[in-house]
Amino acid sequence: MANISNFRKNIAIDLGTASVLVYIRGKGVIINEPSVVAMDSYTGKILSVGKEAKKMLGRTPGNIRATRPMKDGVIADFNSTEKMLKYFIHKSIGKTMIRPNVVICVPSEITQVQRRAVMQASKLAGAYKTYLIEEPLAAAIGAGVDITDAGGNLVIDIGGGTTDVAVIALGGIIINKSLPIGGDECDTAITEYIKGKYNMIIGERTAEEIKINIASAYPREDDNLFEVKGRNLINGLPVHVFVTSTDISEAIRHPLDQIIRTVQEVLEKTPPELAADLYERGAVMTGGGCLVPGLDRKLESKIGIPVNIAEGPVTAVVRGTGKALSWIDKLDSSEMGEEGGRRRELEERERLRRSI
Ligand code: ADP
Ligand code: MG
């Protein structure tokens, strides 16, 4: 007899502070959009999600509010998160009556309450079953690290709102630290720098654009000029200036130093045997924030360990989360009675979380 679970889709979601990615096995990464929701503030109705909503950030008329529902890696606005998930789940699987199984990665340091909030939002958004896996494990799997290895591996994920540093061995997290600073803090630092140096106000998106175009962890020899448009702080009139990447490297030095400091702290606490492995194998970086040119070299020079950027650093976490999908197939086919199934589900979920 045909079993409904044969038709049930399994999808992996990276619910980030900056972007949401969705992966389906066999299809790859099918969604990569900003985690932004635009809402009518009078009616509470969602107007747009993702790319469309991001265009509205910072330029919305009075009645429209464009917000990021995730902050510091966790849900800051439950209602918008649920709506955003519903939109992306629907966009990924299209019209179907069969609800999908969903695997979502979450930061390793979040509380039980925050975990439950993610599970609940996913359920309300239309998931059949939801499984959570810890982000550093997902990042490592996606970066091609064999996480079941007894030797240690150092994984650094720099997202929009957070940086997660973890040492992984034998399928688990040995030590980790999460810093509420990531790529977005660099944008803020650029905004502040330009305000201080040129008396000029720029928007959030302009700051990110400057970063993506000319930021560098070191002052650059081939220093090129980049035109920046904004508003004069005193008289409010439109102005433009030219900034250099050396300016911007100065601007973002502080947040980058904080990230480097966090990696150093994790290394200081790593057990000696594992630390020796790390020196041999090097560290791997994932997340959009690691793409600032020269950050890998700067980090390397500060920690004395080779630092590599994962292949496809932005999609590594969701691809790693996607690999956990194979566990779900096994789980579905091994389910029997309702109670046994429930118990097994809990056990599997715990195993999934702990020991991929
Ligand atoms: P999250 O997991 O929090 O959703 P991402 O891994 O998508 O975050 O990373 C988003 C951050 O990466 C943002 O701060 C973004 O500005 C930054 N970023 C993306 N591309 C680049 C780039 N080419 N250079 C520098 N920063 C980048
Ligand atoms: Mg991320």
Side-chain angles (χ1 to χ4, degrees):
M1 202 179 71
N3 186 329
I4 196 167
S5 65
N6 294 339
F7 299 102
R8 197 179 298 290
K9 291 212 168 92
N10 294 326
I11 64 181
I13 303 179
D14 173 1
L15 191 58
T17 42
S19 38
V20 176
L21 289 86
V22 178
Y23 172 100
I24 295 187
R25 196 174 26 198
K27 290 192 183 164
V29 179
I30 56 164
I31 288 177
N32 180 358
E33 293 197 35
S35 33
V36 179
V37 173
M39 194 187 280
D40 184 317
S41 41
Y42 297 136
T43 62
K45 196 168 171 272
I46 300 286
L47 301 171
S48 55
V49 177
K51 281 190 202 117
E52 287 306 309
K54 189 172 182 186
K55 288 190 198 147
M56 296 183 175
L57 263 188
R59 52 162 72 131
T60 50
N63 61 324
I64 303 176
R65 210 163 47 96
T67 54
R68 297 181 180 276
M70 305 291 296
K71 201 173 175 323
D72 299 340
V74 299
I75 296 178
D77 176 345
F78 187 85
N79 190 29
S80 305
T81 304
E82 178 206 323
K83 300 279 164 42
M84 182 169 81
L85 272 175
K86 188 177 261 170
Y87 173 85
F88 287 127
I89 290 176
H90 187 251
K91 195 169 176 182
S92 327
I93 60 170
K95 277 206 180 75
T96 167
M97 299 293 286
I98 306 170
R99 291 182 293 147
N101 287 321
V102 175
V103 193
I104 304 180
C105 59
V106 291
S108 48
E109 283 190 356
I110 71 172
T111 64
Q112 279 305 324
V113 175
Q114 290 164 337
R115 273 175 187 281
R116 274 203 295 276
V118 176
M119 301 281 289
Q120 182 72 7
S122 171
K123 188 173 173 199
L124 292 172
Y128 180 66
K129 284 184 191 161
T130 302
Y131 305 86
L132 304 182
I133 89 160
E134 282 158 324
E135 203 162 351
L137 292 179
I141 299 169
V145 170
D146 174 9
I147 63 163
T148 58
D149 194 346
N153 281 288
L154 178 62
V155 186
I156 303 157
D157 178 68
I158 309 177
T162 49
T163 295
D164 265 287
V165 184
V167 175
I168 286 164
L170 287 170
I173 295 169
I174 305 295
I175 175 167
N176 73 301
K177 195 165 164 67
S178 184
L179 175 77
I181 285 177
D184 297 348
E185 188 73 15
C186 293
D187 303 352
T188 309
I190 291 171
T191 307
E192 289 299 313
Y193 180 88
I194 289 184
K195 192 158 118 192
K197 187 161 176 183
Y198 301 104
N199 268 335
M200 180 173 153
I201 307 278
I202 58 168
E204 203 177 303
R205 294 190 318 139
T206 305
E208 186 182 24
E209 203 186 320
I210 297 171
K211 177 183 69 181
I212 290 177
N213 280 283
I214 59 164
S216 162
Y218 289 110
R220 279 237 288 264
E221 306 233 317
D222 58 328
D223 214 1
N224 38 18
L225 292 171
F226 188 78
E227 185 184 17
V228 181
K229 293 178 182 147
R231 215 156 39 77
N232 183 286
L233 183 62
I234 321 277
N235 60 20
L237 294 175
V239 275
H240 70 121
V241 297
F242 287 90
V243 294
T244 65
S245 62
T246 301
D247 282 339
I248 302 306
S249 72
E250 175 60 29
I252 63 172
R253 203 179 58 200
H254 187 60
L256 295 189
D257 282 349
Q258 285 175 289
I259 290 172
I260 293 170
R261 185 69 215 125
T262 302
V263 178
Q264 286 170 327
E265 280 167 22
V266 167
L267 286 174
E268 280 158 16
K269 292 191 191 129
T270 302
E273 278 84 19
L274 285 179
D277 293 336
L278 301 184
Y279 286 93
E280 229 165 70
R281 295 161 191 229
V284 62
M285 289 206 289
T286 61
C290 80
L291 290 171
V292 172
L295 179 57
D296 48 350
R297 274 184 302 130
K298 187 167 191 178
L299 186 58
E300 202 168 277
S301 75
K302 291 283 160 78
I303 63 176
I305 294 179
V307 176
N308 306 299
I309 295 176
E311 209 171 295
V314 175
T315 56
V317 169
V318 79
R319 285 184 286 108
T321 307
K323 287 205 180 154
L325 287 170
S326 47
W327 272 266
I328 289 189
D329 285 351
K330 278 191 221 139
L331 174 64
D332 271 0
S333 57
S334 68
E335 241 177 44
M336 294 180 308
E338 192 154 288
E339 211 168 289
R342 171 81 188 135
R343 202 196 59 236
R344 206 156 297 120
E345 183 194 327
L346 287 171
E347 284 169 6
E348 277 294 330
R349 192 184 303 156
E350 187 61 17
R351 186 137 36 121
L352 190 66
R353 212 166 63 72
R354 287 276 151 226
S355 70
I356 294 169

